[in-house]
PDB file of all heavy atoms in Angstrom:
ATOM      1  N   LYS A 790       0.829  -1.203   0.000  1.00 87.00           N
ATOM      2  CA  LYS A 790       0.000   0.000   0.000  1.00 87.00           C
ATOM      3  C   LYS A 790       0.869   1.261   0.000  1.00 87.00           C
ATOM      4  O   LYS A 790       1.907   1.313   0.670  1.00 87.00           O
ATOM      5  CB  LYS A 790      -0.916   0.017   1.227  1.00 87.00           C
ATOM      6  CG  LYS A 790      -1.919  -1.127   1.258  1.00 87.00           C
ATOM      7  CD  LYS A 790      -2.789  -1.043   2.503  1.00 87.00           C
ATOM      8  CE  LYS A 790      -3.805  -2.187   2.554  1.00 87.00           C
ATOM      9  NZ  LYS A 790      -4.650  -2.126   3.777  1.00 87.00           N
ATOM     10  N   ALA A 791       0.424   2.271  -0.751  1.00 87.00           N
ATOM     11  CA  ALA A 791       1.130   3.545  -0.764  1.00 87.00           C
ATOM     12  C   ALA A 791       0.927   4.247   0.573  1.00 87.00           C
ATOM     13  O   ALA A 791      -0.192   4.336   1.081  1.00 87.00           O
ATOM     14  CB  ALA A 791       0.603   4.419  -1.897  1.00 87.00           C
ATOM     15  N   ILE A 792       2.018   4.735   1.142  1.00 86.00           N
ATOM     16  CA  ILE A 792       1.975   5.371   2.454  1.00 86.00           C
ATOM     17  C   ILE A 792       2.290   6.856   2.322  1.00 86.00           C
ATOM     18  O   ILE A 792       3.326   7.240   1.778  1.00 86.00           O
ATOM     19  CB  ILE A 792       2.999   4.721   3.407  1.00 86.00           C
ATOM     20  CG1 ILE A 792       2.710   3.231   3.559  1.00 86.00           C
ATOM     21  CG2 ILE A 792       2.996   5.426   4.756  1.00 86.00           C
ATOM     22  CD1 ILE A 792       1.366   2.901   4.155  1.00 86.00           C
ATOM     23  N   SER A 793       1.384   7.695   2.824  1.00 84.00           N
ATOM     24  CA  SER A 793       1.633   9.133   2.840  1.00 84.00           C
ATOM     25  C   SER A 793       1.590   9.705   4.255  1.00 84.00           C
ATOM     26  O   SER A 793       1.919  10.867   4.458  1.00 84.00           O
ATOM     27  CB  SER A 793       0.600   9.865   1.977  1.00 84.00           C
ATOM     28  OG  SER A 793       0.714   9.479   0.633  1.00 84.00           O
ATOM     29  N   GLY A 794       1.152   8.887   5.209  1.00 84.00           N
ATOM     30  CA  GLY A 794       1.074   9.346   6.587  1.00 84.00           C
ATOM     31  C   GLY A 794      -0.231  10.059   6.890  1.00 84.00           C
ATOM     32  O   GLY A 794      -1.061  10.285   6.011  1.00 84.00           O
ATOM     33  N   HIS A 795      -0.405  10.404   8.146  1.00 83.00           N
ATOM     34  CA  HIS A 795      -1.670  11.008   8.597  1.00 83.00           C
ATOM     35  C   HIS A 795      -1.910  12.376   7.971  1.00 83.00           C
ATOM     36  O   HIS A 795      -3.039  12.738   7.645  1.00 83.00           O
ATOM     37  CB  HIS A 795      -1.670  11.132  10.117  1.00 83.00           C
ATOM     38  CG  HIS A 795      -2.946  11.692  10.665  1.00 83.00           C
ATOM     39  ND1 HIS A 795      -4.096  10.935  10.754  1.00 83.00           N
ATOM     40  CD2 HIS A 795      -3.270  12.942  11.128  1.00 83.00           C
ATOM     41  CE1 HIS A 795      -5.068  11.676  11.251  1.00 83.00           C
ATOM     42  NE2 HIS A 795      -4.588  12.893  11.488  1.00 83.00           N
ATOM     43  N   HIS A 796      -0.829  13.176   7.798  1.00 82.00           N
ATOM     44  CA  HIS A 796      -0.976  14.537   7.288  1.00 82.00           C
ATOM     45  C   HIS A 796      -0.573  14.667   5.821  1.00 82.00           C
ATOM     46  O   HIS A 796      -0.544  15.781   5.286  1.00 82.00           O
ATOM     47  CB  HIS A 796      -0.131  15.514   8.122  1.00 82.00           C
ATOM     48  CG  HIS A 796      -0.512  15.564   9.562  1.00 82.00           C
ATOM     49  ND1 HIS A 796       0.130  14.802  10.520  1.00 82.00           N
ATOM     50  CD2 HIS A 796      -1.486  16.243  10.202  1.00 82.00           C
ATOM     51  CE1 HIS A 796      -0.421  15.043  11.698  1.00 82.00           C
ATOM     52  NE2 HIS A 796      -1.399  15.900  11.537  1.00 82.00           N
ATOM     53  N   GLY A 797      -0.239  13.550   5.179  1.00 80.00           N
ATOM     54  CA  GLY A 797       0.127  13.609   3.769  1.00 80.00           C
ATOM     55  C   GLY A 797       1.587  13.927   3.499  1.00 80.00           C
ATOM     56  O   GLY A 797       1.981  14.134   2.353  1.00 80.00           O
ATOM     57  N   ILE A 798       2.425  13.967   4.531  1.00 83.00           N
ATOM     58  CA  ILE A 798       3.831  14.335   4.341  1.00 83.00           C
ATOM     59  C   ILE A 798       4.777  13.183   4.672  1.00 83.00           C
ATOM     60  O   ILE A 798       5.988  13.361   4.751  1.00 83.00           O
ATOM     61  CB  ILE A 798       4.213  15.568   5.190  1.00 83.00           C
ATOM     62  CG1 ILE A 798       4.001  15.298   6.683  1.00 83.00           C
ATOM     63  CG2 ILE A 798       3.403  16.779   4.754  1.00 83.00           C
ATOM     64  CD1 ILE A 798       4.487  16.418   7.577  1.00 83.00           C
ATOM     65  N   GLY A 799       4.226  11.989   4.826  1.00 84.00           N
ATOM     66  CA  GLY A 799       5.034  10.859   5.257  1.00 84.00           C
ATOM     67  C   GLY A 799       6.041  10.361   4.247  1.00 84.00           C
ATOM     68  O   GLY A 799       6.983   9.658   4.603  1.00 84.00           O
ATOM     69  N   SER A 800       5.869  10.707   2.989  1.00 88.00           N
ATOM     70  CA  SER A 800       6.809  10.208   1.979  1.00 88.00           C
ATOM     71  C   SER A 800       7.723  11.307   1.447  1.00 88.00           C
ATOM     72  O   SER A 800       8.361  11.133   0.415  1.00 88.00           O
ATOM     73  CB  SER A 800       6.034   9.583   0.814  1.00 88.00           C
ATOM     74  OG  SER A 800       5.216  10.554   0.182  1.00 88.00           O
ATOM     75  N   GLU A 801       7.800  12.434   2.145  1.00 90.00           N
ATOM     76  CA  GLU A 801       8.641  13.542   1.686  1.00 90.00           C
ATOM     77  C   GLU A 801      10.105  13.270   2.031  1.00 90.00           C
ATOM     78  O   GLU A 801      10.725  13.954   2.849  1.00 90.00           O
ATOM     79  CB  GLU A 801       8.164  14.861   2.302  1.00 90.00           C
ATOM     80  CG  GLU A 801       6.841  15.348   1.760  1.00 90.00           C
ATOM     81  CD  GLU A 801       6.940  15.818   0.318  1.00 90.00           C
ATOM     82  OE1 GLU A 801       8.023  16.247  -0.117  1.00 90.00           O
ATOM     83  OE2 GLU A 801       5.910  15.758  -0.385  1.00 90.00           O
ATOM     84  N   LEU A 802      10.667  12.257   1.365  1.00 94.00           N
ATOM     85  CA  LEU A 802      12.027  11.823   1.675  1.00 94.00           C
ATOM     86  C   LEU A 802      13.070  12.876   1.294  1.00 94.00           C
ATOM     87  O   LEU A 802      14.171  12.898   1.854  1.00 94.00           O
ATOM     88  CB  LEU A 802      12.329  10.508   0.960  1.00 94.00           C
ATOM     89  CG  LEU A 802      11.404   9.341   1.337  1.00 94.00           C
ATOM     90  CD1 LEU A 802      11.747   8.108   0.513  1.00 94.00           C
ATOM     91  CD2 LEU A 802      11.505   9.033   2.819  1.00 94.00           C
ATOM     92  N   GLY A 803      12.740  13.723   0.350  1.00 93.00           N
ATOM     93  CA  GLY A 803      13.674  14.772  -0.048  1.00 93.00           C
ATOM     94  C   GLY A 803      13.945  15.776   1.047  1.00 93.00           C
ATOM     95  O   GLY A 803      14.888  16.572   0.950  1.00 93.00           O
ATOM     96  N   HIS A 804      13.127  15.740   2.117  1.00 94.00           N
ATOM     97  CA  HIS A 804      13.310  16.711   3.196  1.00 94.00           C
ATOM     98  C   HIS A 804      13.865  16.097   4.478  1.00 94.00           C
ATOM     99  O   HIS A 804      13.779  16.713   5.545  1.00 94.00           O
ATOM    100  CB  HIS A 804      11.994  17.445   3.460  1.00 94.00           C
ATOM    101  CG  HIS A 804      11.579  18.318   2.308  1.00 94.00           C
ATOM    102  ND1 HIS A 804      12.288  19.440   1.939  1.00 94.00           N
ATOM    103  CD2 HIS A 804      10.576  18.193   1.402  1.00 94.00           C
ATOM    104  CE1 HIS A 804      11.711  19.987   0.880  1.00 94.00           C
ATOM    105  NE2 HIS A 804      10.686  19.238   0.525  1.00 94.00           N
ATOM    106  N   MET A 805      14.435  14.896   4.376  1.00 96.00           N
ATOM    107  CA  MET A 805      15.189  14.394   5.530  1.00 96.00           C
ATOM    108  C   MET A 805      16.520  15.137   5.592  1.00 96.00           C
ATOM    109  O   MET A 805      17.110  15.486   4.568  1.00 96.00           O
ATOM    110  CB  MET A 805      15.423  12.879   5.415  1.00 96.00           C
ATOM    111  CG  MET A 805      16.464  12.464   4.405  1.00 96.00           C
ATOM    112  SD  MET A 805      16.860  10.709   4.505  1.00 96.00           S
ATOM    113  CE  MET A 805      15.515  10.012   3.538  1.00 96.00           C
ATOM    114  N   ILE A 806      16.984  15.430   6.793  1.00 97.00           N
ATOM    115  CA  ILE A 806      18.248  16.139   6.977  1.00 97.00           C
ATOM    116  C   ILE A 806      19.400  15.151   6.869  1.00 97.00           C
ATOM    117  O   ILE A 806      19.428  14.135   7.556  1.00 97.00           O
ATOM    118  CB  ILE A 806      18.292  16.846   8.348  1.00 97.00           C
ATOM    119  CG1 ILE A 806      17.134  17.836   8.482  1.00 97.00           C
ATOM    120  CG2 ILE A 806      19.631  17.541   8.549  1.00 97.00           C
ATOM    121  CD1 ILE A 806      17.171  18.986   7.517  1.00 97.00           C
ATOM    122  N   VAL A 807      20.346  15.450   5.983  1.00 97.00           N
ATOM    123  CA  VAL A 807      21.490  14.542   5.790  1.00 97.00           C
ATOM    124  C   VAL A 807      22.837  15.232   6.015  1.00 97.00           C
ATOM    125  O   VAL A 807      23.879  14.581   5.979  1.00 97.00           O
ATOM    126  CB  VAL A 807      21.470  13.906   4.388  1.00 97.00           C
ATOM    127  CG1 VAL A 807      20.269  12.980   4.228  1.00 97.00           C
ATOM    128  CG2 VAL A 807      21.490  14.967   3.284  1.00 97.00           C
ATOM    129  N   GLY A 808      22.846  16.526   6.240  1.00 95.00           N
ATOM    130  CA  GLY A 808      24.113  17.225   6.442  1.00 95.00           C
ATOM    131  C   GLY A 808      23.881  18.721   6.496  1.00 95.00           C
ATOM    132  O   GLY A 808      22.748  19.190   6.587  1.00 95.00           O
ATOM    133  N   GLU A 809      24.966  19.482   6.434  1.00 95.00           N
ATOM    134  CA  GLU A 809      24.876  20.938   6.403  1.00 95.00           C
ATOM    135  C   GLU A 809      25.122  21.393   4.977  1.00 95.00           C
ATOM    136  O   GLU A 809      26.172  21.130   4.397  1.00 95.00           O
ATOM    137  CB  GLU A 809      25.904  21.565   7.349  1.00 95.00           C
ATOM    138  CG  GLU A 809      25.770  23.066   7.464  1.00 95.00           C
ATOM    139  CD  GLU A 809      26.697  23.657   8.518  1.00 95.00           C
ATOM    140  OE1 GLU A 809      27.259  22.885   9.315  1.00 95.00           O
ATOM    141  OE2 GLU A 809      26.855  24.891   8.543  1.00 95.00           O
ATOM    142  N   GLY A 810      24.128  22.058   4.390  1.00 93.00           N
ATOM    143  CA  GLY A 810      24.198  22.390   2.976  1.00 93.00           C
ATOM    144  C   GLY A 810      24.738  23.776   2.691  1.00 93.00           C
ATOM    145  O   GLY A 810      24.906  24.608   3.589  1.00 93.00           O
ATOM    146  N   LEU A 811      24.982  24.030   1.392  1.00 92.00           N
ATOM    147  CA  LEU A 811      25.473  25.329   0.951  1.00 92.00           C
ATOM    148  C   LEU A 811      24.371  26.389   0.975  1.00 92.00           C
ATOM    149  O   LEU A 811      24.656  27.580   1.038  1.00 92.00           O
ATOM    150  CB  LEU A 811      26.024  25.229  -0.476  1.00 92.00           C
ATOM    151  CG  LEU A 811      27.316  24.436  -0.674  1.00 92.00           C
ATOM    152  CD1 LEU A 811      27.629  24.306  -2.154  1.00 92.00           C
ATOM    153  CD2 LEU A 811      28.469  25.123   0.046  1.00 92.00           C
ATOM    154  N   TYR A 812      23.134  25.942   0.875  1.00 94.00           N
ATOM    155  CA  TYR A 812      22.013  26.879   0.837  1.00 94.00           C
ATOM    156  C   TYR A 812      20.810  26.254   1.528  1.00 94.00           C
ATOM    157  O   TYR A 812      20.743  25.036   1.695  1.00 94.00           O
ATOM    158  CB  TYR A 812      21.669  27.253  -0.608  1.00 94.00           C
ATOM    159  CG  TYR A 812      21.211  26.085  -1.459  1.00 94.00           C
ATOM    160  CD1 TYR A 812      19.847  25.815  -1.616  1.00 94.00           C
ATOM    161  CD2 TYR A 812      22.120  25.276  -2.117  1.00 94.00           C
ATOM    162  CE1 TYR A 812      19.418  24.752  -2.395  1.00 94.00           C
ATOM    163  CE2 TYR A 812      21.698  24.213  -2.901  1.00 94.00           C
ATOM    164  CZ  TYR A 812      20.354  23.959  -3.042  1.00 94.00           C
ATOM    165  OH  TYR A 812      19.933  22.901  -3.813  1.00 94.00           O
ATOM    166  N   ASP A 813      19.868  27.076   1.920  1.00 95.00           N
ATOM    167  CA  ASP A 813      18.661  26.575   2.580  1.00 95.00           C
ATOM    168  C   ASP A 813      17.695  25.991   1.554  1.00 95.00           C
ATOM    169  O   ASP A 813      17.612  26.448   0.413  1.00 95.00           O
ATOM    170  CB  ASP A 813      17.962  27.702   3.346  1.00 95.00           C
ATOM    171  CG  ASP A 813      18.730  28.140   4.578  1.00 95.00           C
ATOM    172  OD1 ASP A 813      19.626  27.394   5.022  1.00 95.00           O
ATOM    173  OD2 ASP A 813      18.441  29.245   5.094  1.00 95.00           O
ATOM    174  N   CYS A 814      16.969  25.002   1.986  1.00 92.00           N
ATOM    175  CA  CYS A 814      15.947  24.369   1.149  1.00 92.00           C
ATOM    176  C   CYS A 814      14.732  25.291   1.026  1.00 92.00           C
ATOM    177  O   CYS A 814      14.533  26.198   1.845  1.00 92.00           O
ATOM    178  CB  CYS A 814      15.543  23.038   1.785  1.00 92.00           C
ATOM    179  SG  CYS A 814      14.339  22.089   0.846  1.00 92.00           S
ATOM    180  N   ASN A 815      13.912  25.054   0.011  1.00 84.00           N
ATOM    181  CA  ASN A 815      12.675  25.819  -0.146  1.00 84.00           C
ATOM    182  C   ASN A 815      11.734  25.656   1.047  1.00 84.00           C
ATOM    183  O   ASN A 815      10.861  26.495   1.280  1.00 84.00           O
ATOM    184  CB  ASN A 815      11.934  25.389  -1.417  1.00 84.00           C
ATOM    185  CG  ASN A 815      12.603  25.918  -2.664  1.00 84.00           C
ATOM    186  OD1 ASN A 815      13.283  26.940  -2.615  1.00 84.00           O
ATOM    187  ND2 ASN A 815      12.428  25.239  -3.781  1.00 84.00           N
ATOM    188  N   CYS A 816      11.920  24.554   1.794  1.00 86.00           N
ATOM    189  CA  CYS A 816      11.053  24.325   2.964  1.00 86.00           C
ATOM    190  C   CYS A 816      11.463  25.209   4.131  1.00 86.00           C
ATOM    191  O   CYS A 816      10.770  25.265   5.148  1.00 86.00           O
ATOM    192  CB  CYS A 816      11.088  22.853   3.368  1.00 86.00           C
ATOM    193  SG  CYS A 816      12.605  22.342   4.222  1.00 86.00           S
ATOM    194  N   GLY A 817      12.617  25.886   4.016  1.00 89.00           N
ATOM    195  CA  GLY A 817      13.063  26.797   5.060  1.00 89.00           C
ATOM    196  C   GLY A 817      14.158  26.251   5.952  1.00 89.00           C
ATOM    197  O   GLY A 817      14.729  26.990   6.764  1.00 89.00           O
ATOM    198  N   ARG A 818      14.457  24.944   5.801  1.00 94.00           N
ATOM    199  CA  ARG A 818      15.492  24.341   6.649  1.00 94.00           C
ATOM    200  C   ARG A 818      16.791  24.194   5.859  1.00 94.00           C
ATOM    201  O   ARG A 818      16.833  24.360   4.638  1.00 94.00           O
ATOM    202  CB  ARG A 818      15.038  22.978   7.154  1.00 94.00           C
ATOM    203  CG  ARG A 818      13.737  23.031   7.939  1.00 94.00           C
ATOM    204  CD  ARG A 818      13.424  21.691   8.566  1.00 94.00           C
ATOM    205  NE  ARG A 818      13.343  20.617   7.580  1.00 94.00           N
ATOM    206  CZ  ARG A 818      13.304  19.333   7.893  1.00 94.00           C
ATOM    207  NH1 ARG A 818      13.372  18.947   9.155  1.00 94.00           N
ATOM    208  NH2 ARG A 818      13.215  18.414   6.946  1.00 94.00           N
ATOM    209  N   ASN A 819      17.852  23.874   6.561  1.00 97.00           N
ATOM    210  CA  ASN A 819      19.134  23.626   5.918  1.00 97.00           C
ATOM    211  C   ASN A 819      19.498  22.156   6.089  1.00 97.00           C
ATOM    212  O   ASN A 819      19.298  21.577   7.157  1.00 97.00           O
ATOM    213  CB  ASN A 819      20.237  24.490   6.547  1.00 97.00           C
ATOM    214  CG  ASN A 819      21.551  24.382   5.792  1.00 97.00           C
ATOM    215  OD1 ASN A 819      22.311  23.425   5.962  1.00 97.00           O
ATOM    216  ND2 ASN A 819      21.819  25.359   4.948  1.00 97.00           N
ATOM    217  N   GLY A 820      20.040  21.541   5.027  1.00 97.00           N
ATOM    218  CA  GLY A 820      20.519  20.171   5.128  1.00 97.00           C
ATOM    219  C   GLY A 820      19.613  19.123   4.538  1.00 97.00           C
ATOM    220  O   GLY A 820      19.895  17.922   4.655  1.00 97.00           O
ATOM    221  N   CYS A 821      18.520  19.522   3.891  1.00 96.00           N
ATOM    222  CA  CYS A 821      17.619  18.538   3.286  1.00 96.00           C
ATOM    223  C   CYS A 821      18.314  17.774   2.165  1.00 96.00           C
ATOM    224  O   CYS A 821      19.133  18.328   1.426  1.00 96.00           O
ATOM    225  CB  CYS A 821      16.382  19.224   2.712  1.00 96.00           C
ATOM    226  SG  CYS A 821      15.256  19.879   3.952  1.00 96.00           S
ATOM    227  N   LEU A 822      17.968  16.506   2.033  1.00 97.00           N
ATOM    228  CA  LEU A 822      18.514  15.662   0.966  1.00 97.00           C
ATOM    229  C   LEU A 822      18.396  16.348  -0.388  1.00 97.00           C
ATOM    230  O   LEU A 822      19.304  16.277  -1.223  1.00 97.00           O
ATOM    231  CB  LEU A 822      17.780  14.321   0.954  1.00 97.00           C
ATOM    232  CG  LEU A 822      18.212  13.299  -0.106  1.00 97.00           C
ATOM    233  CD1 LEU A 822      19.643  12.843   0.143  1.00 97.00           C
ATOM    234  CD2 LEU A 822      17.258  12.109  -0.107  1.00 97.00           C
ATOM    235  N   GLU A 823      17.284  17.026  -0.607  1.00 95.00           N
ATOM    236  CA  GLU A 823      17.026  17.714  -1.875  1.00 95.00           C
ATOM    237  C   GLU A 823      18.111  18.724  -2.221  1.00 95.00           C
ATOM    238  O   GLU A 823      18.402  18.974  -3.393  1.00 95.00           O
ATOM    239  CB  GLU A 823      15.665  18.403  -1.780  1.00 95.00           C
ATOM    240  CG  GLU A 823      15.198  19.089  -3.032  1.00 95.00           C
ATOM    241  CD  GLU A 823      13.739  19.503  -2.936  1.00 95.00           C
ATOM    242  OE1 GLU A 823      12.861  18.609  -2.849  1.00 95.00           O
ATOM    243  OE2 GLU A 823      13.481  20.716  -2.952  1.00 95.00           O
ATOM    244  N   THR A 824      18.734  19.321  -1.198  1.00 97.00           N
ATOM    245  CA  THR A 824      19.753  20.345  -1.449  1.00 97.00           C
ATOM    246  C   THR A 824      21.131  19.746  -1.719  1.00 97.00           C
ATOM    247  O   THR A 824      22.101  20.496  -1.874  1.00 97.00           O
ATOM    248  CB  THR A 824      19.836  21.331  -0.267  1.00 97.00           C
ATOM    249  OG1 THR A 824      20.265  20.641   0.909  1.00 97.00           O
ATOM    250  CG2 THR A 824      18.489  21.981  -0.011  1.00 97.00           C
ATOM    251  N   PHE A 825      21.210  18.424  -1.781  1.00 98.00           N
ATOM    252  CA  PHE A 825      22.455  17.740  -2.106  1.00 98.00           C
ATOM    253  C   PHE A 825      22.369  16.914  -3.390  1.00 98.00           C
ATOM    254  O   PHE A 825      23.366  16.751  -4.084  1.00 98.00           O
ATOM    255  CB  PHE A 825      22.871  16.797  -0.962  1.00 98.00           C
ATOM    256  CG  PHE A 825      23.309  17.502   0.288  1.00 98.00           C
ATOM    257  CD1 PHE A 825      22.406  17.768   1.303  1.00 98.00           C
ATOM    258  CD2 PHE A 825      24.632  17.897   0.454  1.00 98.00           C
ATOM    259  CE1 PHE A 825      22.798  18.413   2.461  1.00 98.00           C
ATOM    260  CE2 PHE A 825      25.043  18.547   1.611  1.00 98.00           C
ATOM    261  CZ  PHE A 825      24.126  18.806   2.621  1.00 98.00           C
ATOM    262  N   VAL A 826      21.184  16.377  -3.697  1.00 97.00           N
ATOM    263  CA  VAL A 826      21.138  15.374  -4.766  1.00 97.00           C
ATOM    264  C   VAL A 826      20.164  15.712  -5.895  1.00 97.00           C
ATOM    265  O   VAL A 826      20.037  14.929  -6.843  1.00 97.00           O
ATOM    266  CB  VAL A 826      20.803  13.971  -4.201  1.00 97.00           C
ATOM    267  CG1 VAL A 826      21.753  13.612  -3.072  1.00 97.00           C
ATOM    268  CG2 VAL A 826      19.361  13.869  -3.729  1.00 97.00           C
ATOM    269  N   SER A 827      19.500  16.843  -5.850  1.00 95.00           N
ATOM    270  CA  SER A 827      18.613  17.237  -6.947  1.00 95.00           C
ATOM    271  C   SER A 827      19.428  17.861  -8.071  1.00 95.00           C
ATOM    272  O   SER A 827      20.619  18.176  -7.906  1.00 95.00           O
ATOM    273  CB  SER A 827      17.584  18.250  -6.448  1.00 95.00           C
ATOM    274  OG  SER A 827      18.237  19.444  -6.048  1.00 95.00           O
ATOM    275  N   SER A 828      18.799  18.068  -9.221  1.00 95.00           N
ATOM    276  CA  SER A 828      19.513  18.723 -10.323  1.00 95.00           C
ATOM    277  C   SER A 828      19.884  20.148  -9.939  1.00 95.00           C
ATOM    278  O   SER A 828      20.982  20.627 -10.252  1.00 95.00           O
ATOM    279  CB  SER A 828      18.666  18.705 -11.600  1.00 95.00           C
ATOM    280  OG  SER A 828      17.436  19.373 -11.415  1.00 95.00           O
TER     281      SER A 828
END
């Protein structure tokens, strides 16, 4: 079964923190996976 969680954000894997990034993510935090591995 596809899992999205109670609030619909359970699969937002791009926003797990993996380190300290060069710039802040669009979500407002620093270190999101998206800020290291996206195009």
Side-chain angles (χ1 to χ4, degrees):
K790 297 180 180 179
I792 301 298
S793 297
H795 182 76
H796 299 95
I798 60 174
S800 62
E801 290 290 333
L802 300 177
H804 293 293
M805 74 171 82
I806 302 296
V807 294
E809 186 174 347
L811 291 174
Y812 63 95
D813 289 344
C814 182
N815 286 334
C816 75
R818 302 187 303 168
N819 187 280
C821 290
L822 180 65
E823 184 169 295
T824 64
F825 291 93
V826 307
S827 65
S828 60

